[in-house]
Amino acid sequence: MEKNVKKKEKQNKVGQAIKNFFNRPTPLIIVLICLCAFLTLYIYNYNAKNRIFIGEVIEENLQIVNVHYFTNGDMNYFYASPALYIGEDKKIYSFQMGYYVVDKNGNYIELATRARELEKKDSLASITEEMSAWNFAEPDKGEHFFTKEVMENLDSLRFVIKATTKKDTTEADFVIDYPVKMTKLTK
């Protein structure tokens, strides 16, 4: 019986200590400060993922009037209107064109590209207008277009055309490479 009394006294002392601890405002204030700090960091991190950019390419021989992309925590979206090639028209046998990002080492990483070998030569201007438009969305953890390397370098977007004017080769002898002038709309 005496053992049970000692256990109850210990439990009462522990319960009383816990009660005294939580009846003071200090623990509550500490918990609320931690909660506020956590929520502030979470909101900041979530808002940092929201990016909306619009851009264009206006050069001597190439114009793209509308390029935009947005990224957030749920999905990524890219749109580019057709490019208009206004330079000296060339007849080509193969091409690769599209959008790339450039990393810090100067390496080009594909965002969205198309490549084809043609059976007969065709006009670079008509192929550029036909094959340079893009419109796609992808989940935030994208593995096809918006890879980790692309997301880290989206501020260095470029439009590139590599074309071959000689038959029976795919080695590009004509290259156009212009940066897309992007403007950030989000804060």
PDB file of all heavy atoms in Angstrom, residues 40 47 108 118 138:
ATOM      1  N   THR A  40       6.388  31.064 -42.188  1.00  0.00           N
ATOM      2  CA  THR A  40       7.022  32.103 -43.005  1.00  0.00           C
ATOM      3  C   THR A  40       7.999  31.489 -44.002  1.00  0.00           C
ATOM      4  O   THR A  40       7.999  31.853 -45.184  1.00  0.00           O
ATOM      5  CB  THR A  40       7.750  33.114 -42.100  1.00  0.00           C
ATOM      6  OG1 THR A  40       6.810  33.680 -41.196  1.00  0.00           O
ATOM      7  CG2 THR A  40       8.409  34.202 -42.929  1.00  0.00           C
ATOM      8  N   ASN A  47       6.469  30.643 -52.644  1.00  0.00           N
ATOM      9  CA  ASN A  47       6.413  31.800 -53.552  1.00  0.00           C
ATOM     10  C   ASN A  47       7.657  31.909 -54.412  1.00  0.00           C
ATOM     11  O   ASN A  47       7.599  32.443 -55.517  1.00  0.00           O
ATOM     12  CB  ASN A  47       6.200  33.090 -52.763  1.00  0.00           C
ATOM     13  CG  ASN A  47       4.778  33.233 -52.301  1.00  0.00           C
ATOM     14  OD1 ASN A  47       3.870  32.610 -52.835  1.00  0.00           O
ATOM     15  ND2 ASN A  47       4.572  34.041 -51.275  1.00  0.00           N
ATOM     16  N   TYR A 108      24.973  23.665 -73.705  1.00  0.00           N
ATOM     17  CA  TYR A 108      23.584  23.832 -74.105  1.00  0.00           C
ATOM     18  C   TYR A 108      22.777  22.622 -73.643  1.00  0.00           C
ATOM     19  O   TYR A 108      23.153  21.482 -73.903  1.00  0.00           O
ATOM     20  CB  TYR A 108      23.480  23.963 -75.622  1.00  0.00           C
ATOM     21  CG  TYR A 108      23.848  25.344 -76.125  1.00  0.00           C
ATOM     22  CD1 TYR A 108      25.111  25.875 -75.934  1.00  0.00           C
ATOM     23  CD2 TYR A 108      22.917  26.123 -76.793  1.00  0.00           C
ATOM     24  CE1 TYR A 108      25.448  27.129 -76.386  1.00  0.00           C
ATOM     25  CE2 TYR A 108      23.233  27.389 -77.254  1.00  0.00           C
ATOM     26  CZ  TYR A 108      24.500  27.885 -77.042  1.00  0.00           C
ATOM     27  OH  TYR A 108      24.816  29.127 -77.486  1.00  0.00           O
ATOM     28  N   LEU A 118      15.204  15.651 -94.344  1.00  0.00           N
ATOM     29  CA  LEU A 118      14.193  15.797 -95.388  1.00  0.00           C
ATOM     30  C   LEU A 118      14.550  14.947 -96.601  1.00  0.00           C
ATOM     31  O   LEU A 118      15.725  14.759 -96.912  1.00  0.00           O
ATOM     32  CB  LEU A 118      14.075  17.272 -95.790  1.00  0.00           C
ATOM     33  CG  LEU A 118      13.857  18.246 -94.622  1.00  0.00           C
ATOM     34  CD1 LEU A 118      13.979  19.684 -95.109  1.00  0.00           C
ATOM     35  CD2 LEU A 118      12.512  18.014 -93.972  1.00  0.00           C
ATOM     36  N   GLU A 138       3.800  20.449 -68.058  1.00  0.00           N
ATOM     37  CA  GLU A 138       4.379  19.252 -67.466  1.00  0.00           C
ATOM     38  C   GLU A 138       4.276  19.374 -65.939  1.00  0.00           C
ATOM     39  O   GLU A 138       4.373  20.477 -65.414  1.00  0.00           O
ATOM     40  CB  GLU A 138       5.850  19.164 -67.891  1.00  0.00           C
ATOM     41  CG  GLU A 138       6.553  17.910 -67.512  1.00  0.00           C
ATOM     42  CD  GLU A 138       7.943  17.848 -68.131  1.00  0.00           C
ATOM     43  OE1 GLU A 138       8.784  18.695 -67.795  1.00  0.00           O
ATOM     44  OE2 GLU A 138       8.169  16.945 -68.939  1.00  0.00           O
TER      45      GLU A 138
END
